[in-house]
Amino acid sequence: MRCRFRVVAIATVALSLTPSARAALVGTVLYQVKTPSFDIGSTHSGGGEPQTAAGTQVVGSGAGNATGFSNHPLLWTSPSGNPIDLTPTNLTGFNSGTALGTDGVHQVGLGAGPSFGTNEEALLWSGAANTAVNLNPTNLTGIGSAEAFGVNGTQQVGDGFGTATSNRIHALVWNGTANSAVDLNPAGFIMSTATGTSGTRQVGFGAGTATGNDNHALVWNGTAASAVDLNPTGFSTSFAQAANGTKQAGYGASSSGQNHALLWTGTAASFIDLNPSGFSSSQAEGMNATQQVGYGITTPGVDLHALLWSSTAASAVDLNALLPASGSWDDSLAYTIDTAGNVYGTADGTFNGVSGQYAVVWSVPEPSSLALVALALAGVRPTRRRGVS
């Protein structure tokens, strides 16, 4: 088992912004994602690899001397940035695990026994170790192991396997309990996994005879029979990461072999290639009704830059350039965007003289603040009318 400090940050979804509003986005550091105390002394302490982001919450895992180098599921939040160990205290048999997703309120992932990697069971939390719910299916015979990747309100998604699946993973969806599990694996697919949910629709990918054994992006509406193959013409593989209403976002491998961020409206033919000019590759991780967020790479092997789109490649905004100028930033990733227009993610760099990983938000200043800035730039001093408070 690899013992390392691994984080998964999370964010929410935003309304459409006008070009001027997009330009007005300001990046703000929420807190440093601090190394857990039990990781001190471990050669694997430190930054880690962010996977997703939601609200002010960050989830992932950490391991160190005090844990016997077994991963523990962790949650970080404002304002301290100190990790909360989510290893269940209300369930028996779990002494390792990882948190893989959050909607800003709930967290999902997996737990395991003494030997991490065996007897893995999907878990759901509500911010504390004693809130753990075991989602491992009790209504699906022959699925003994599972993990959850995404959560939105009362719905969770992931995958599971066992004797009934010939030990190949099948996409699963739950509604908060172990006996609510539904096997989403479509006919003609030997494997599948669900990675995101809008609360009503699920997205992910799968492979089998129906796809020439290549991974194809999929969208479901709660049943295996509802699956739609989203893989676009010209892309060898594809993966759907997020859903909102009738739209889905993710990425696919283009003819050049590089990943391109993609946007769909329920069919393979509806795809839009979001890869911006000047970026060799990109991925979409989150979305709302009109916008998408993710990241891109300018040149293979060079730093990652958080990106925001408004449904076209030409609309891409490089959010890395909007991080606080007082910091020195290497990588940044955007994972979700909320209805207030806030984009959440993570950034690696040095801020206030401290190097590490930071939870960040890109937001639009309040209209009053924008007005004051405009007045200041115009050299106009606001005045108070007599008799008006």
Side-chain angles (χ1 to χ4, degrees):
M1 187 194 86
R2 291 183 299 168
C3 297
R4 63 179 182 133
F5 176 56
R6 180 171 177 269
V7 295
V8 180
I10 305 191
T12 28
V13 189
L15 296 173
S16 179
L17 300 175
T18 64
S20 59
R22 286 200 302 268
L25 283 169
V26 175
T28 303
V29 170
L30 294 172
Y31 57 87
Q32 183 184 6
V33 179
K34 296 179 182 177
T35 302
S37 59
F38 58 65
D39 217 59
I40 295 175
S42 167
T43 58
H44 302 281
S45 63
E49 180 185 357
Q51 302 295 317
T52 59
T56 63
Q57 291 191 351
V58 175
V59 295
S61 63
N65 294 332
T67 70
F69 297 100
S70 293
N71 280 329
H72 279 204
L74 300 175
L75 164 67
W76 292 264
T77 190
S78 291
S80 70
N82 291 318
I84 299 169
D85 192 333
L86 293 177
T87 303
T89 57
N90 61 326
L91 302 174
T92 59
F94 297 100
N95 64 0
S96 62
T98 185
L100 297 168
T102 174
D103 61 4
V105 177
H106 309 94
Q107 305 80 38
V108 292
L110 63 94
S115 178
F116 189 78
T118 61
N119 302 319
E120 295 177 354
E121 301 189 10
L123 296 176
L124 166 68
W125 296 270
S126 297
N130 63 359
T131 64
V133 175
N134 191 337
L135 294 177
N136 227 56
T138 57
N139 61 325
L140 300 177
T141 303
I143 295 183
S145 296
E147 54 190 340
F149 295 110
V151 56
N152 191 325
T154 60
Q155 189 167 101
Q156 307 82 37
V157 293
D159 59 42
F161 66 93
T163 56
T165 70
S166 300
N167 287 322
R168 296 182 182 273
I169 58 171
H170 280 197
L172 299 176
V173 59
W174 298 267
N175 285 289
T177 63
N179 64 4
S180 66
V182 175
D183 187 336
L184 296 176
N185 197 67
F189 285 72
I190 60 173
M191 64 75 62
S192 58
T193 187
T195 54
T197 173
S198 68
T200 55
R201 286 185 172 86
Q202 308 79 40
V203 293
F205 61 93
T209 55
T211 70
N213 293 322
D214 290 326
N215 287 320
H216 281 195
L218 297 172
V219 58
W220 296 269
N221 193 18
T223 66
S226 68
V228 176
D229 187 335
L230 296 175
N231 196 71
T233 300
F235 287 78
S236 57
T237 59
S238 55
F239 306 83
Q241 302 279 83
N244 189 289
T246 60
K247 296 181 180 181
Q248 305 81 39
Y251 62 97
S254 68
S255 57
S256 67
Q258 297 293 328
N259 288 336
H260 281 200
L262 298 174
L263 174 66
W264 297 272
T265 309
T267 66
S270 69
F271 87 98
I272 298 172
D273 189 334
L274 296 176
N275 197 69
S277 175
F279 285 80
S280 62
S281 64
S282 57
Q283 294 186 194
E285 298 287 331
M287 67 186 303
N288 65 0
T290 57
Q291 293 182 292
Q292 306 78 42
V293 295
Y295 58 90
I297 302 175
T298 54
T299 304
V302 180
D303 299 335
L304 304 176
H305 284 201
L307 294 174
L308 166 69
W309 296 269
S310 294
S311 302
T312 66
S315 69
V317 176
D318 186 342
L319 298 176
N320 199 72
L322 302 180
L323 289 168
S326 57
S328 175
W329 305 103
D330 299 322
D331 296 321
S332 62
L333 301 96
Y335 295 105
T336 56
I337 176 174
D338 69 20
T339 54
N342 304 304
V343 179
Y344 293 91
T346 59
D348 292 315
T350 301
F351 186 67
N352 290 334
V354 180
S355 296
Q357 186 174 73
Y358 292 85
V360 297
V361 59
W362 291 269
S363 58
V364 180
E366 292 296 322
S368 58
S369 298
L370 287 174
L372 289 173
V373 170
L375 287 170
L377 291 175
V380 177
R381 183 178 180 181
T383 59
R384 176 180 294 179
R385 290 168 52 194
R386 181 173 298 176
V388 178
S389 60

